[in-house]
Amino acid sequence: MGQAGHARQVLERIQPGGRLLGIDRDPLAVQAARESLASFGDSAVVVHGRFSELAALASENGFSPADLVLFDFGISSTQVDDPGRGFSFRADGPLDMRMDATSELTAATVVNDYDVAELERIIREYGEERWARRIAQFIVARRPLRTTRDLAAAVEAAIPRRAWPRDIHVATRTFQAIRIAVNDELGEIESGLRAALSTLKPGGRMATISFHSLEDRLVKSFFNVESKDCICPPQQPVCTCGHRATLRIVTRHPVRPSEAEVAANPRARSARLRVAEKL
């Protein structure tokens, strides 16, 4: 739900008679969305939960089958801008990074307890960071790390100044990687896409908004597989998989924000929208 901006836009377009179920794993976002959408009355139902719980939550709240499922991946501006949540290197805060404060795993545990090999894997796979090994070594050498500034300083020290990226902060990829690991974001996306497919009615559509290549790659792969009748290896002469297409891809290429939208909302610059229709 984030700040309920998309939800409000959807609700305004489906009145009268349309209903929206909003799901967020952040209890603070759930409460804020309920207050923001209160004027829509019973048309807006907001619940606490994860992408992987979509099918169960839709069924429990009378939204199955659904006409549309919209995913807005990643963290919200509210989470990033609150130093106490520990998502950002721009202000000092605790090493938390939990989207749901009731979860047990925190960034502090990942940074201070995981061995160097696992840290390197997380930073390389989830951050697509070429300096992953060196960053992991510097993190381990500087333990215990207590704040986001400690983590950012370890990354800054690990990467030679001449290799710092020009377009993003040098610690961006490492923070992204640890955040994804803390919240199992990619696993939740995979589960959520499958749940959305089972929740949609024939002719219903799912739309996804991704903000980095790992998210977008998962969606693209899922859409491609589910839009084919056969997923056997190309060299196999006879189909044995028995797979049948369940989706029709609506957007062959991701929809990107316009220059005007990016100017009005710079954080939208990396957004990519993909849409598919259930057969």
Coordinates of all heavy atoms in Angstrom, one line a residue, residues 24-26 28 74-101 105-107 147-149 151-152 171-183 185 267:
D24 N -0.4 -4.8 3.0 CA 1.0 -4.3 3.2 C 1.6 -5.1 4.4 O 0.8 -5.3 5.4 CB 1.0 -2.8 3.5 CG 2.4 -2.2 3.2 OD1 3.4 -2.6 3.9 OD2 2.5 -1.3 2.3
R25 N 2.8 -5.4 4.3 CA 3.4 -6.1 5.5 C 3.9 -5.2 6.6 O 4.3 -5.6 7.6 CB 4.6 -7.0 4.9 CG 5.8 -6.2 4.4 CD 6.8 -7.1 3.7 NE 7.4 -8.1 4.5 CZ 8.3 -9.0 4.1 NH1 8.6 -9.0 2.8 NH2 8.8 -9.8 4.9
D26 N 3.8 -3.9 6.3 CA 4.2 -2.9 7.3 C 3.0 -2.4 8.1 O 2.1 -1.7 7.5 CB 4.9 -1.7 6.6 CG 5.5 -0.6 7.6 OD1 5.1 -0.7 8.8 OD2 6.3 0.2 7.1
L28 N 2.6 0.0 10.1 CA 2.4 1.4 10.1 C 1.7 1.9 8.8 O 0.9 2.8 8.7 CB 3.8 2.1 10.2 CG 4.4 1.9 11.6 CD1 5.8 2.6 11.6 CD2 3.6 2.4 12.7
G74 N 9.2 -3.4 -3.6 CA 10.2 -2.6 -3.0 C 9.7 -1.8 -1.8 O 8.6 -2.1 -1.2
I75 N 10.5 -0.8 -1.3 CA 10.2 -0.1 -0.1 C 9.5 1.2 -0.5 O 9.6 1.7 -1.7 CB 11.5 0.3 0.7 CG1 12.5 0.9 -0.2 CG2 12.0 -1.0 1.4 CD1 13.8 1.3 0.5
S76 N 8.8 1.8 0.4 CA 8.0 3.0 0.2 C 8.9 4.2 0.6 O 9.8 4.1 1.4 CB 6.7 3.0 1.0 OG 7.0 3.2 2.4
S77 N 8.5 5.4 0.1 CA 9.2 6.6 0.5 C 9.1 6.8 2.0 O 10.1 7.3 2.6 CB 8.6 7.8 -0.3 OG 8.7 7.7 -1.7
T78 N 8.0 6.5 2.6 CA 7.9 6.7 4.0 C 8.9 5.9 4.8 O 9.5 6.4 5.8 CB 6.5 6.3 4.5 OG1 5.5 7.0 3.8 CG2 6.3 6.6 6.0
Q79 N 9.1 4.6 4.4 CA 10.1 3.8 5.0 C 11.6 4.3 4.8 O 12.4 4.4 5.7 CB 10.0 2.4 4.5 CG 8.7 1.7 4.9 CD 8.5 0.4 4.1 OE1 8.9 0.2 3.0 NE2 7.8 -0.6 4.7
V80 N 11.9 4.8 3.6 CA 13.2 5.3 3.3 C 13.5 6.5 4.1 O 14.6 6.7 4.6 CB 13.3 5.5 1.8 CG1 14.7 6.2 1.5 CG2 13.2 4.3 1.0
D81 N 12.5 7.4 4.2 CA 12.7 8.7 4.8 C 12.8 8.7 6.3 O 13.1 9.7 7.0 CB 11.6 9.7 4.3 CG 11.7 10.0 2.8 OD1 12.8 9.8 2.3 OD2 10.7 10.4 2.2
D82 N 12.5 7.6 6.9 CA 12.5 7.5 8.4 C 13.8 6.8 8.9 O 14.0 5.6 8.7 CB 11.3 6.6 8.9 CG 11.2 6.5 10.4 OD1 12.1 7.0 11.1 OD2 10.3 5.8 10.9
P83 N 14.7 7.6 9.4 CA 16.0 7.1 9.8 C 15.9 5.9 10.8 O 16.8 5.1 10.8 CB 16.7 8.3 10.5 CG 16.0 9.5 9.9 CD 14.6 9.1 9.7
G84 N 14.8 5.9 11.6 CA 14.7 4.9 12.6 C 14.4 3.5 12.0 O 14.6 2.5 12.7
R85 N 14.1 3.5 10.7 CA 13.8 2.2 10.1 C 15.1 1.5 9.5 O 15.1 0.3 9.2 CB 12.8 2.3 8.9 CG 11.5 2.9 9.3 CD 10.7 2.0 10.3 NE 10.3 0.8 9.7 CZ 9.1 0.6 9.0 NH1 8.3 1.6 8.8 NH2 8.8 -0.6 8.5
G86 N 16.1 2.3 9.4 CA 17.4 1.8 9.0 C 17.6 1.4 7.5 O 18.5 0.6 7.2
F87 N 16.7 2.0 6.6 CA 16.8 1.6 5.2 C 17.8 2.5 4.4 O 18.3 2.1 3.4 CB 15.5 1.8 4.5 CG 14.5 0.7 4.9 CD1 13.4 1.0 5.8 CD2 14.6 -0.6 4.4 CE1 12.5 0.0 6.1 CE2 13.7 -1.6 4.7 CZ 12.6 -1.3 5.6
S88 N 18.2 3.6 5.0 CA 18.9 4.6 4.2 C 20.3 4.9 4.8 O 20.4 4.9 6.0 CB 18.2 5.9 4.1 OG 18.9 6.9 3.4
F89 N 21.3 5.1 3.9 CA 22.6 5.5 4.4 C 22.7 7.0 4.5 O 23.8 7.5 4.9 CB 23.6 5.0 3.4 CG 23.2 5.2 1.9 CD1 23.2 6.4 1.3 CD2 22.7 4.1 1.2 CE1 22.7 6.6 0.0 CE2 22.3 4.2 -0.1 CZ 22.3 5.5 -0.7
R90 N 21.7 7.8 4.1 CA 21.8 9.2 4.1 C 21.6 9.8 5.5 O 22.0 11.0 5.7 CB 20.7 9.8 3.2 CG 20.9 9.3 1.8 CD 20.1 10.1 0.8 NE 20.2 9.5 -0.6 CZ 21.2 9.7 -1.4 NH1 22.2 10.4 -1.0 NH2 21.2 9.1 -2.6
A91 N 21.0 9.1 6.4 CA 20.9 9.5 7.8 C 21.3 8.4 8.7 O 21.0 7.2 8.4 CB 19.5 10.1 8.1
D92 N 21.9 8.6 9.8 CA 22.3 7.6 10.7 C 21.1 7.0 11.4 O 20.3 7.7 11.9 CB 23.4 8.1 11.8 CG 24.3 7.0 12.2 OD1 24.4 5.9 11.5 OD2 25.1 7.2 13.2
G93 N 21.1 5.6 11.5 CA 20.0 5.0 12.1 C 20.4 3.5 12.5 O 21.5 3.1 12.1
P94 N 19.5 2.8 13.2 CA 19.8 1.4 13.5 C 19.9 0.5 12.3 O 19.2 0.8 11.3 CB 18.7 1.1 14.5 CG 17.5 1.9 14.0 CD 18.2 3.2 13.6
L95 N 20.6 -0.6 12.4 CA 20.7 -1.5 11.3 C 19.4 -2.5 11.5 O 19.5 -3.6 12.0 CB 22.0 -2.3 11.4 CG 23.2 -1.6 10.9 CD1 24.5 -2.4 11.2 CD2 23.1 -1.4 9.4
D96 N 18.3 -2.0 10.9 CA 17.1 -2.7 11.1 C 16.6 -3.2 9.7 O 16.8 -4.4 9.4 CB 16.0 -1.8 11.6 CG 14.8 -2.5 12.1 OD1 14.4 -3.5 11.4 OD2 14.2 -2.2 13.1
M97 N 16.1 -2.4 8.8 CA 15.6 -2.7 7.5 C 14.5 -3.7 7.4 O 14.2 -4.2 6.3 CB 16.8 -3.2 6.6 CG 18.0 -2.3 6.5 SD 19.1 -2.9 5.1 CE 20.5 -1.9 5.5
R98 N 13.7 -3.9 8.5 CA 12.6 -4.8 8.4 C 11.4 -4.0 7.9 O 11.0 -2.9 8.4 CB 12.2 -5.3 9.8 CG 13.2 -6.3 10.3 CD 12.9 -6.7 11.8 NE 13.0 -5.5 12.6 CZ 12.6 -5.5 13.9 NH1 12.2 -6.7 14.5 NH2 12.8 -4.5 14.7
M99 N 10.7 -4.5 6.9 CA 9.4 -3.9 6.4 C 8.3 -4.1 7.5 O 7.5 -3.3 7.6 CB 9.0 -4.5 5.1 CG 9.9 -4.1 3.9 SD 9.4 -4.9 2.4 CE 10.5 -4.2 1.2
D100 N 8.4 -5.3 8.2 CA 7.5 -5.6 9.2 C 8.3 -5.7 10.5 O 9.1 -6.6 10.7 CB 6.8 -6.9 8.9 CG 5.8 -7.3 10.0 OD1 5.7 -6.7 11.0 OD2 5.0 -8.2 9.7
A101 N 8.1 -4.8 11.4 CA 8.9 -4.7 12.7 C 8.6 -5.9 13.6 O 9.3 -6.1 14.6 CB 8.6 -3.4 13.4
L105 N 14.3 -11.3 11.9 CA 15.6 -11.0 11.2 C 15.8 -9.5 11.0 O 14.9 -8.9 10.4 CB 15.7 -11.8 9.9 CG 17.0 -11.7 9.1 CD1 18.2 -12.2 10.0 CD2 17.0 -12.4 7.8
T106 N 16.9 -9.0 11.4 CA 17.3 -7.6 11.1 C 18.6 -7.5 10.3 O 19.3 -8.5 10.2 CB 17.4 -6.8 12.4 OG1 18.6 -7.3 13.1 CG2 16.2 -6.9 13.3
A107 N 18.8 -6.3 9.8 CA 20.1 -6.1 9.1 C 21.3 -6.3 10.0 O 22.3 -6.7 9.6 CB 20.1 -4.7 8.5
T147 N 25.3 0.9 13.3 CA 24.4 1.9 12.6 C 24.5 1.8 11.1 O 25.5 1.2 10.6 CB 24.7 3.3 13.1 OG1 26.0 3.7 12.6 CG2 24.7 3.4 14.6
T148 N 23.6 2.4 10.4 CA 23.6 2.5 9.0 C 24.9 3.3 8.5 O 25.4 2.9 7.5 CB 22.4 3.2 8.4 OG1 22.2 4.5 9.1 CG2 21.1 2.4 8.7
R149 N 25.3 4.2 9.3 CA 26.5 4.9 9.0 C 27.8 4.0 9.0 O 28.7 4.1 8.2 CB 26.7 6.1 9.9 CG 27.8 7.1 9.5 CD 27.6 7.7 8.2 NE 28.8 7.5 7.3 CZ 28.7 7.5 6.0 NH1 27.6 7.7 5.4 NH2 29.8 7.3 5.3
L151 N 27.8 0.8 8.4 CA 27.7 0.0 7.2 C 28.2 0.7 6.0 O 28.9 0.2 5.2 CB 26.3 -0.6 7.1 CG 26.1 -1.5 5.8 CD1 27.0 -2.6 5.8 CD2 24.6 -1.9 5.8
A152 N 27.7 1.9 5.8 CA 28.0 2.8 4.7 C 29.5 3.0 4.7 O 30.2 3.0 3.6 CB 27.2 4.1 4.7
A171 N 27.2 3.0 -1.6 CA 26.6 1.9 -0.7 C 25.2 1.5 -1.2 O 24.7 0.6 -0.6 CB 26.6 2.4 0.7
T172 N 24.7 2.1 -2.2 CA 23.3 1.8 -2.6 C 23.1 0.3 -2.9 O 22.1 -0.3 -2.4 CB 23.0 2.5 -3.9 OG1 23.1 3.9 -3.7 CG2 21.6 2.2 -4.4
R173 N 24.0 -0.4 -3.6 CA 23.8 -1.8 -4.0 C 23.9 -2.7 -2.7 O 23.1 -3.7 -2.6 CB 24.8 -2.2 -5.1 CG 24.6 -1.5 -6.4 CD 25.5 -2.1 -7.5 NE 25.3 -1.4 -8.7 CZ 26.1 -0.5 -9.2 NH1 27.2 -0.1 -8.5 NH2 25.9 0.1 -10.4
T174 N 24.8 -2.4 -1.9 CA 24.9 -3.2 -0.6 C 23.7 -3.1 0.3 O 23.2 -4.1 0.8 CB 26.2 -2.8 0.1 OG1 27.4 -3.0 -0.7 CG2 26.3 -3.6 1.4
F175 N 23.2 -1.8 0.4 CA 22.0 -1.6 1.2 C 20.8 -2.4 0.6 O 20.0 -3.0 1.3 CB 21.7 -0.1 1.4 CG 22.4 0.5 2.6 CD1 23.7 0.6 2.7 CD2 21.6 0.9 3.7 CE1 24.4 1.2 3.8 CE2 22.2 1.5 4.8 CZ 23.6 1.6 4.8
Q176 N 20.7 -2.3 -0.7 CA 19.6 -3.0 -1.4 C 19.7 -4.5 -1.1 O 18.7 -5.2 -0.8 CB 19.7 -2.7 -2.9 CG 18.7 -3.6 -3.7 CD 18.9 -3.4 -5.2 OE1 18.7 -2.4 -5.7 NE2 19.3 -4.5 -5.9
A177 N 20.9 -5.0 -1.2 CA 21.1 -6.5 -1.1 C 20.7 -7.0 0.3 O 20.0 -8.0 0.5 CB 22.6 -6.8 -1.3
I178 N 21.2 -6.2 1.3 CA 20.9 -6.6 2.7 C 19.4 -6.5 3.0 O 18.8 -7.3 3.7 CB 21.7 -5.8 3.7 CG1 23.2 -6.2 3.5 CG2 21.3 -6.1 5.1 CD1 24.2 -5.4 4.2
R179 N 18.8 -5.4 2.5 CA 17.3 -5.2 2.7 C 16.5 -6.4 2.0 O 15.6 -6.9 2.6 CB 16.9 -3.9 2.0 CG 15.5 -3.5 2.2 CD 15.1 -2.5 1.2 NE 14.6 -3.1 0.0 CZ 14.7 -2.6 -1.2 NH1 15.3 -1.5 -1.5 NH2 14.2 -3.3 -2.3
I180 N 16.9 -6.8 0.8 CA 16.2 -7.9 0.2 C 16.4 -9.2 1.0 O 15.4 -9.9 1.1 CB 16.8 -8.1 -1.3 CG1 16.4 -6.9 -2.2 CG2 16.4 -9.4 -1.9 CD1 17.0 -6.9 -3.5
A181 N 17.6 -9.4 1.5 CA 17.8 -10.6 2.3 C 17.0 -10.6 3.6 O 16.3 -11.6 4.0 CB 19.3 -10.8 2.7
V182 N 16.9 -9.5 4.3 CA 16.2 -9.3 5.5 C 14.7 -9.6 5.3 O 14.0 -10.3 6.1 CB 16.4 -7.9 6.1 CG1 15.4 -7.7 7.2 CG2 17.8 -7.8 6.7
N183 N 14.1 -9.2 4.2 CA 12.7 -9.3 4.0 C 12.3 -10.4 3.0 O 11.1 -10.5 2.7 CB 12.2 -7.9 3.4 CG 12.4 -6.8 4.4 OD1 11.7 -6.7 5.4 ND2 13.3 -5.9 4.2
E185 N 12.6 -10.6 -0.1 CA 11.7 -9.9 -1.1 C 11.5 -10.7 -2.4 O 10.4 -10.7 -2.9 CB 12.3 -8.5 -1.4 CG 12.2 -7.5 -0.2 CD 12.8 -6.2 -0.6 OE1 12.6 -5.7 -1.7 OE2 13.5 -5.6 0.3
R267 N 11.9 9.6 -7.8 CA 12.0 8.2 -7.3 C 11.3 7.3 -8.3 O 11.5 6.1 -8.2 CB 11.5 8.1 -5.9 CG 12.4 8.6 -4.9 CD 11.8 8.6 -3.5 NE 12.8 9.0 -2.5 CZ 12.5 9.2 -1.2 NH1 11.3 9.0 -0.8 NH2 13.5 9.6 -0.4

